Amino acid sequence: MEQGVLKHRRTTLERAEKFISTIYFTDVNLQGKLYPKKADVKSLTHWAAPNLKDEHLRFEKVVKQKFTPVKVGQQFGPTWATHWFRVDVEVPVEWVGSEVHLRWNSGSEALVYVEGKPRQGLCSEYDRLDYPLSESLQADNRSFTVYIEMACNGMFGAGDNGMIAPPDLNRQFTLSCCEVAVFDRRVYNLIREVELLHDMAKHLPEGSERGYQALYTVNAMINACDVNDPTTFQKCHEISSKFLQQKNGDSQHTTYAMGHAHIDTAWLWPYSETRRKCARSWSCTIRLMEKYPEFTFTCSQAQQLDWLRRDYYDLWCEIKKYAKEGRFIPVGGTWVEMDGLIPGGEACIRQFLLGQNFFAQEFGAPCKEFWLPDTFGYSGQLPQIMRHCGISRFLTQKLSWNLVNKFPHHTFWWEGISGHRVLAHFPPGNDYGMKGKVEEVGLIMLLRSSQNFKDKGRSDKSAFLFGFGDGGNGPSEDMVERLNKMKDIDGLPRVKMSTPDEFFSAVEEEDGGNLCRWTGELYLEMHNGTYTTHARVKKMNRLCEMLLHDVEFVHTVAFIELIAHVYPYGQLPKLWKLLLLNQFHDVLPGSSIGMVYKDAHEHYEEIMTQGNEILAKGFRDVVRKGNFLFPKPGQTKCIIRNNLSFDRTEVIVIETEPSGSGPAKKPAKKRQKRSPQKQAKAQQYNSEGHALYCVNIGSYGYSFLDPVTSIQPAEVQEQDGMYVMKNSLLEAHIDQQGRVVHMYLAGSDRDAVDKEYPANQFVMYDDIPLYWDAWDVMDYHMETRKAVTDVISETEVLDQGPLRVSLKFSLRISDKSRINQQIILDAGSPFLRFNTEVEWYENRRMLKVEFPTSVHAREATYDIQFGHIRRPNHRNTSWDTARFEVCGHKWSDLSEHGFGVAVLNDCKYGHSALDNVLRMSLLRSPKAPDRMADMETHTFSYALMPHAGIRMDPHTLTYALMHHFGKDGDAHLHIRSHASFRYGWRHTPSHTLSCLMQVLFRRPM
């Protein structure tokens, strides 16, 4: 008789691992018996679908095509192509009573159709290769026909030699498996039990009694199991059950498990592929709900659900059924999971407005929680926006990616810059795609890190999101089985299938008073290059945000004033949805493949074209109501409009041929004939031959062109090798490289510029991250600073006043890249403007512009949605050091008591401040996932503004909001005539939330 053997932990663990391995000893282990019988399919035929871009190919059309025979082993492609297969199956009669699966592996994603309906997704990356044909084969039902739609891309696209690399457009995908097989459910259940015991033995603290109990139990199971004798399987199950039936204590932590499939609306694949990914993933979800009545699933992003409703209506009906049961749970409240930093305030509210309207209309109720697990930082204004939109709960996990500092909480109250609070939770598994394994559930305890759950003692609850995302088809049967087996096992946290509402409600009721508070933004210490990458996308985003604001303002006025006015209810939501779609957190940040940006710019073009048409119609109606068809004596039929909430006196440009008077430097472009109309004499012609006027317009007002004549002129003169630009408010000294050497407020001898280093200094940096090319700017890039000093053409005068003075110069960045810039000072302007053109063809280098100031301050202030935020401009702590690149909107500012300097911009978001230097990031040149990112000529504007007062007070902010430019660099009050009215650029009054909220919430969408 053999005595008991002292078990060696390592060898026993590896024995159990190999017993269920899919790689090792499969001829003699348990895994090798999972499919005891296999057979070829009866026939396999194929049809290659045409490329229809965004059009969804209906099944009814597919079945009418001519299918031709193919064989296993053939290749199909290229990348992004679609291939359809008809699979006819005749199951052997000997398999009657068995569970029978169709096995398919095309090395790609695929979707199974049965009787014309999408039934289940398949994905090679996660071995999701089975489609169950029958749970118990019947003798009179052994014939099956299924169709399979094969997508020629993997779960993460088709990166060429790397996941985030640009796609290989010529990849071929091999059909390596198409067969039917018997699936042995007894073997499957034993595999799950062996796996659970092995994982507990491995991940419970070494030396713990419970861990060794698991080790000896799994060893006993293997000893009792003869893989060739199924009669031994019951004995193995009895051994495991004795261990697994031992329960937890009352004080154990509870894990609230929820199925989840985070699907990027676009990333390493285009929008059109996401529409199919949703169908593949959510069809799998529905199949699991049919089998597991306790299983729940959370689903965010109204846009994706709306796509599914349009493309896969049968599947949509199934989803609606389970949503009514409370098991398919819409979450998030937004149109897409947008970027959390770059979108403007009104756009953030529109995400909720359109998203919540969709959820309420389609599912009967709006969402209670904001669901944003994968965005690259979270604005300090989001809590107020959430509360205004009826949401008081927030879930993410992205801050677990921090490179330097561990965020100190998992469950806490998040307080925004306004004082509004929401209950925030970061699942301590640090992921939104868990697999339901012991080491993941046990993260709360001592299995991996004793400090992982940061709020022990304050709360004993946490959320657990499980499921493969991005086309991996969401939760799998393996995951559900694992979690069901871990419901109440001694040694592990309790696991319960739950819902977000149940989890958050439990925390609010039982733990809310114990939780800590975090105030301000949630800064992600990674991916700060996304504030700059794909600059044209960010420029178009801001331009479209402003255009849609103007459209709604003008039509709201017309609607109030004119009974007969038709408000564009149908057109505006469509344009907003396109803009909100492009604000998805991998599109607007610049971290998608090139195909995505082709689609994005088509959307922007549609918004601009249709938006301008709608705007022109609305403005014509307003003008007619105001009796503006005929000008008064001395006025002209050219109407100027001000869409800001304060009176403005500014220099404007009207593109017209010179009348003969005025110093036109070059002829204007050829223009269409205008109707005979008296034109006011231009006060100046600029260097392009266009007419300049100074006008005064009231807040949210409009009037005929009636120039202001009593204004102090702007002037420029050469002095000591520099150019001195001066108006009634400012004086700036510019050197031959276009740098600002001195800058003064009128009547003051306080120089705004550092006495040693000039402002408007362009600088280049090496920009080579550790991995995430389009995403990351690393701290070590700051050690590679190189000033751009190679002058192509020195500073020279363009315009000499009296309304505008300007200079121009050119710098060489490299043999391929250059900077052309105009420096402009208008009469009465409080800022010096820099209209910039950059020909940019670099490789992993970054361009910034820096402004050393004379200001001594410990904080810099940055514009954000509906407010501003202060951040340290020193490096005292690791938290300060990690924020070497931050996100801001229209301005950044350094101020001390009584004096400050601000940098304004028209389309830039990356900023930094250290000591007395403000820097703005202009362009990057990453090569993955889009090798052509930003490789083009860019135009943008920024301005330098010294000011009196403390920080950006309301008076100073008013001037900042006026800093907006058209494509030619001229001020946004730019109108030809009311009959041909066109949009011009201007800043939205983002510092006032209330005025926008009133417009937003009274209007049906």
Side-chain angles (χ1 to χ4, degrees):
M1 178 70 84
E2 294 288 342
Q3 294 183 344
V5 178
L6 179 65
K7 301 308 301 172
H8 185 269
R9 184 173 182 272
R10 176 184 169 185
T11 58
T12 307
L13 284 173
E14 190 162 342
R15 181 193 187 194
E17 180 184 332
K18 295 297 194 296
F19 191 62
I20 56 174
S21 171
T22 59
I23 301 172
Y24 302 103
F25 308 113
T26 55
D27 56 333
V28 292
N29 73 2
L30 191 60
Q31 186 71 44
K33 304 302 179 182
L34 187 59
Y35 300 97
K37 300 175 183 178
K38 299 178 181 179
D40 294 334
V41 299
K42 180 180 179 181
S43 69
L44 177 63
T45 54
H46 160 262
W47 173 66
N51 182 9
L52 300 178
K53 200 175 183 294
D54 294 334
E55 181 183 345
H56 174 63
L57 191 61
R58 301 287 177 179
F59 180 82
E60 294 77 11
K61 292 184 178 180
V62 172
V63 294
K64 296 177 181 178
Q65 307 304 317
K66 182 179 180 180
F67 283 67
T68 58
V70 291
K71 296 180 180 179
V72 171
Q74 285 187 225
Q75 291 187 329
F76 301 90
T79 307
W80 309 124
T82 298
H83 296 267
W84 283 83
F85 299 84
R86 172 174 168 146
V87 184
D88 292 299
V89 175
E90 187 72 29
V91 181
V93 68
E94 295 84 4
W95 297 5
V96 168
S98 301
E99 183 171 346
V100 179
H101 290 190
L102 173 66
R103 304 260 300 155
W104 174 276
N105 189 351
S106 54
S108 70
E109 294 186 68
L111 178 61
V112 175
Y113 282 76
V114 177
E115 296 180 349
K117 297 180 181 180
R119 291 292 296 173
Q120 182 192 299
L122 301 170
C123 179
S124 299
E125 273 92 341
Y126 289 126
D127 293 330
R128 200 154 199 164
L129 308 175
D130 287 26
Y131 172 69
L133 295 173
S134 175
E135 291 186 0
S136 179
L137 186 69
Q138 302 300 307
D140 58 351
N141 189 20
R142 296 185 295 109
S143 297
F144 302 89
T145 296
V146 301
Y147 285 82
I148 296 179
E149 180 192 34
M150 171 188 169
C152 288
N153 55 268
M155 196 181 86
F156 293 112
D160 186 5
N161 194 30
M163 182 183 80
I164 67 169
D168 175 3
L169 298 180
N170 296 304
R171 178 175 293 185
Q172 298 291 312
F173 295 81
T174 301
L175 178 58
S176 60
C177 178
C178 179
E179 63 185 16
V180 288
V182 170
F183 181 82
D184 194 324
R185 181 65 58 176
R186 296 168 302 173
V187 171
Y188 175 80
N189 290 334
L190 279 182
I191 290 173
R192 297 281 75 81
E193 291 170 1
V194 170
E195 176 190 56
L196 175 57
L197 290 164
H198 164 270
D199 290 351
M200 289 184 67
K202 181 177 181 179
H203 295 291
L204 285 170
E206 188 170 350
S208 70
E209 180 174 353
R210 189 61 173 164
Y212 269 97
Q213 289 173 357
L215 184 74
Y216 274 77
T217 301
V218 72
N219 189 70
M221 286 182 67
I222 298 172
N223 289 338
C225 183
D226 182 349
V227 297
N228 295 310
D229 183 3
T231 62
T232 65
F233 295 168
Q234 180 59 31
K235 176 62 175 177
C236 298
H237 175 66
E238 291 171 359
I239 294 172
S240 67
S241 294
K242 184 178 180 180
F243 176 90
L244 297 176
Q245 288 172 2
Q246 296 173 3
K247 306 298 182 183
N248 262 314
D250 293 338
S251 64
Q252 192 58 271
H253 188 102
T254 301
T255 298
Y256 292 73
M258 310 163 202
H260 184 242
H262 175 77
I263 303 176
D264 285 318
T265 300
W267 179 28
L268 303 176
W269 54 86
Y271 289 131
S272 56
E273 191 57 37
T274 303
R275 302 172 81 128
R276 303 200 295 176
K277 284 177 179 283
C278 293
R280 293 191 283 260
S281 292
W282 298 340
S283 60
C284 292
T285 298
I286 297 302
R287 302 289 81 78
L288 283 177
M289 287 185 171
E290 291 172 345
K291 188 168 185 177
Y292 296 94
E294 73 284 1
F295 169 60
T296 59
F297 180 80
T298 57
C299 182
S300 64
Q301 307 197 68
Q303 172 68 89
Q304 294 183 4
L305 288 160
D306 191 45
W307 278 338
L308 189 92
R309 179 176 64 88
R310 297 171 186 274
D311 296 345
Y312 302 90
Y313 188 72
D314 291 330
L315 180 56
W316 170 252
C317 292
E318 293 184 282
I319 285 174
K320 292 285 289 282
K321 170 192 170 186
Y322 286 104
K324 284 185 178 181
E325 296 178 8
R327 296 173 57 199
F328 192 103
I329 306 159
V331 294
T334 52
W335 190 248
V336 298
E337 289 184 7
M338 74 283 196
D339 181 82
L341 295 170
I342 297 173
E346 187 169 352
C348 289
I349 287 185
R350 293 307 173 109
Q351 288 283 355
F352 286 104
L353 182 65
L354 293 175
Q356 291 286 60
N357 280 354
F358 178 88
F359 291 124
Q361 180 177 339
E362 298 295 337
F363 296 99
C367 300
K368 298 179 180 179
E369 55 286 307
F370 184 27
W371 199 272
L372 201 60
D374 194 33
T375 292
F376 314 143
Y378 304 88
S379 168
Q381 185 58 283
L382 282 174
Q384 182 182 16
I385 293 174
M386 281 186 261
R387 294 305 296 263
H388 274 292
C389 296
I391 286 182
S392 59
R393 299 159 172 178
F394 174 61
L395 182 143
T396 187
Q397 61 81 46
K398 200 64 177 183
L399 265 66
S400 66
W401 285 43
N402 275 4
L403 283 178
V404 180
N405 300 285
K406 290 282 189 182
F407 193 78
H409 304 293
H410 283 106
T411 306
F412 59 100
W413 294 105
W414 180 22
E415 181 178 280
I417 63 173
S418 64
H420 290 80
R421 294 185 186 180
V422 294
L423 177 59
H425 180 66
F426 299 175
N430 294 340
D431 200 351
Y432 47 74
M434 309 293 274
K435 302 172 182 64
K437 293 198 171 183
V438 165
E439 61 267 33
E440 297 169 341
V441 173
L443 276 170
I444 297 94
M445 300 181 64
L446 302 175
L447 304 196
R448 188 179 296 175
S449 169
S450 62
Q451 298 301 315
N452 200 72
F453 184 60
K454 303 295 185 181
D455 297 284
K456 295 185 183 74
R458 291 185 286 269
S459 179
D460 59 356
K461 307 167 187 66
S462 62
F464 185 90
L465 310 181
F466 64 97
F468 297 123
D470 291 332
N473 297 337
S476 67
E477 185 174 11
D478 292 356
M479 298 175 194
V480 177
E481 286 287 345
R482 289 171 187 144
L483 293 169
N484 280 343
K485 286 179 167 43
M486 284 188 277
K487 281 182 179 178
D488 192 4
I489 300 177
D490 182 21
L492 292 178
R494 282 195 177 86
V495 176
K496 64 181 298 186
M497 290 289 179
S498 185
T499 68
D501 185 52
E502 182 181 3
F503 165 71
F504 279 111
S505 294
V507 173
E508 289 166 348
E509 293 169 9
E510 300 174 22
D511 308 326
N514 301 327
L515 301 177
C516 296
R517 177 183 53 159
W518 180 272
T519 300
E521 68 181 334
L522 297 174
Y523 180 82
L524 175 64
E525 296 171 1
M526 277 189 77
H527 294 0
N528 40 23
T530 59
Y531 315 150
T532 305
T533 306
H534 267 287
R536 185 155 60 98
V537 167
K538 294 170 173 61
K539 178 178 179 178
M540 292 305 301
N541 174 75
R542 193 181 293 186
L543 181 58
C544 289
E545 285 183 343
M546 294 184 298
L547 171 59
L548 294 182
H549 167 275
D550 284 1
V551 169
E552 298 213 60
F553 167 69
V554 167
H555 278 275
T556 300
V557 172
F559 184 77
I560 294 171
E561 296 289 334
L562 298 171
I563 296 176
H565 180 76
V566 179
Y567 194 89
Y569 290 114
Q571 295 164 289
L572 269 173
K574 175 187 174 184
L575 299 183
W576 267 112
K577 287 174 182 178
L578 288 177
L579 180 58
L580 300 182
L581 171 62
N582 277 355
Q583 291 181 345
F584 179 73
H585 67 252
D586 271 310
V587 179
L588 183 55
S591 50
S592 291
I593 61 173
M595 291 177 68
V596 173
Y597 293 105
K598 184 177 183 297
D599 291 340
H601 284 295
E602 288 178 359
H603 293 335
Y604 289 133
E605 179 63 28
E606 184 175 349
I607 295 167
M608 292 301 298
T609 300
Q610 295 186 21
N612 272 306
E613 291 173 356
I614 301 169
L615 179 61
K617 182 181 184 306
F619 191 63
R620 283 196 295 268
D621 286 351
V622 171
V623 168
R624 290 192 185 99
K625 172 65 176 178
N627 294 320
F628 266 69
L629 294 179
F630 302 101
K632 297 177 181 179
Q635 295 179 328
T636 66
K637 198 175 180 180
C638 184
I639 299 175
I640 312 300
R641 177 179 59 91
N642 174 16
N643 268 11
L644 295 183
S645 58
F646 44 81
D647 297 349
R648 301 166 62 190
T649 299
E650 290 183 36
V651 174
I652 67 165
V653 174
I654 293 182
E655 297 179 5
T656 184
E657 296 182 13
S659 62
S661 60
K665 297 286 180 109
K666 67 179 183 179
K669 297 177 182 178
K670 207 169 185 182
R671 301 178 56 79
Q672 294 180 349
K673 289 185 178 180
R674 300 177 182 271
S675 58
Q677 182 67 44
K678 181 179 177 181
Q679 179 70 38
K681 183 178 178 180
Q683 295 168 285
Q684 179 185 336
Y685 290 95
N686 67 10
S687 58
E688 296 181 336
H690 300 314
L692 274 63
Y693 301 88
C694 182
V695 297
N696 177 269
I697 307 293
S699 65
Y700 282 113
Y702 57 93
S703 72
F704 286 113
L705 174 59
D706 189 6
V708 175
T709 56
S710 58
I711 185 168
Q712 296 186 39
E715 58 185 48
V716 59
Q717 56 183 311
E718 190 171 2
Q719 179 179 310
D720 298 329
M722 289 189 288
Y723 289 97
V724 179
M725 307 176 77
K726 185 186 300 185
N727 67 9
S728 60
L729 300 176
L730 289 180
E731 179 180 319
H733 297 220
I734 314 299
D735 70 8
Q736 294 299 322
Q737 297 182 34
R739 301 178 300 184
V740 182
V741 180
H742 304 289
M743 195 170 191
Y744 306 94
L745 289 172
S748 171
D749 59 359
R750 170 70 183 267
D751 193 346
V753 180
D754 184 90
K755 62 183 179 181
E756 295 184 17
Y757 301 101
N760 197 41
Q761 174 67 67
F762 292 100
V763 286
M764 291 289 291
Y765 296 86
D766 294 343
D767 187 15
I768 307 172
L770 298 176
Y771 177 73
W772 297 102
D773 204 350
W775 293 261
D776 287 347
V777 173
M778 306 307 297
D779 54 358
Y780 51 75
H781 89 280
M782 296 183 289
E783 303 172 42
T784 67
R785 178 187 179 278
K786 298 179 184 66
V788 179
T789 58
D790 188 357
V791 178
I792 299 174
S793 60
E794 293 186 342
T795 305
E796 61 180 282
V797 176
L798 275 180
D799 297 301
Q800 300 185 53
L803 294 187
R804 171 170 297 173
V805 295
S806 66
L807 308 172
K808 72 172 184 177
F809 66 94
S810 297
L811 300 176
R812 180 179 290 106
I813 297 173
S814 69
D815 292 341
K816 298 179 180 180
S817 304
R818 62 184 289 168
I819 300 169
N820 303 310
Q821 189 172 76
Q822 293 183 19
I823 305 176
I824 297 172
L825 182 64
D826 286 343
S829 173
F831 49 74
L832 187 65
R833 183 150 43 104
F834 303 86
N835 291 347
T836 312
E837 177 187 83
V838 181
E839 299 171 19
W840 183 249
Y841 298 97
E842 297 301 300
N843 180 12
R844 294 186 174 93
R845 303 179 76 199
M846 187 176 189
L847 176 66
K848 298 186 182 186
V849 63
E850 62 186 22
F851 301 90
T853 74
S854 63
V855 176
H856 180 72
R858 290 175 53 82
E859 291 178 322
T861 309
Y862 303 85
D863 177 48
I864 62 171
Q865 302 90 341
F866 300 134
H868 61 266
I869 190 168
R870 298 167 189 168
R871 300 176 176 117
N873 64 324
H874 53 74
R875 302 290 186 261
N876 280 1
T877 70
S878 61
W879 294 85
D880 302 331
T881 302
R883 286 189 282 183
F884 57 85
E885 182 85 0
V886 297
C887 186
H889 285 201
K890 304 177 189 72
W891 53 265
S892 59
D893 179 82
L894 273 176
S895 292
E896 59 189 43
H897 183 74
F899 185 80
V901 177
V903 175
L904 322 176
N905 73 84
D906 71 339
C907 60
K908 298 301 174 185
Y909 294 90
H911 302 271
S912 60
L914 181 60
D915 298 327
N916 67 328
V917 182
L918 289 170
R919 293 182 177 87
M920 186 164 62
S921 299
L922 302 177
L923 294 167
R924 298 186 67 223
S925 50
K927 300 304 172 187
D930 179 9
R931 63 171 55 92
M932 295 304 295
D934 285 316
M935 298 296 101
E936 58 181 317
T937 297
H938 299 264
T939 58
F940 50 86
S941 295
Y942 54 87
L944 183 63
M945 184 174 71
H947 59 86
I950 301 176
R951 296 188 180 90
M952 297 288 284
D953 60 28
H955 180 72
T956 307
L957 184 57
T958 295
Y959 290 114
L961 297 173
M962 291 164 58
H963 174 72
H964 254 267
F965 314 96
K967 62 184 178 182
D968 58 356
D970 293 315
H972 78 269
L973 290 174
H974 176 177
I975 301 180
R976 299 182 180 90
S977 73
H978 81 264
S980 61
F981 174 79
R982 200 168 184 287
Y983 176 68
W985 292 25
R986 59 93 196 90
H987 270 293
T988 304
S990 63
H991 61 299
T992 50
L993 175 61
S994 59
C995 64
L996 292 177
M997 293 290 292
Q998 291 170 5
V999 175
L1000 286 171
F1001 285 103
R1002 74 183 180 196
R1003 191 169 52 246
M1005 294 294 289

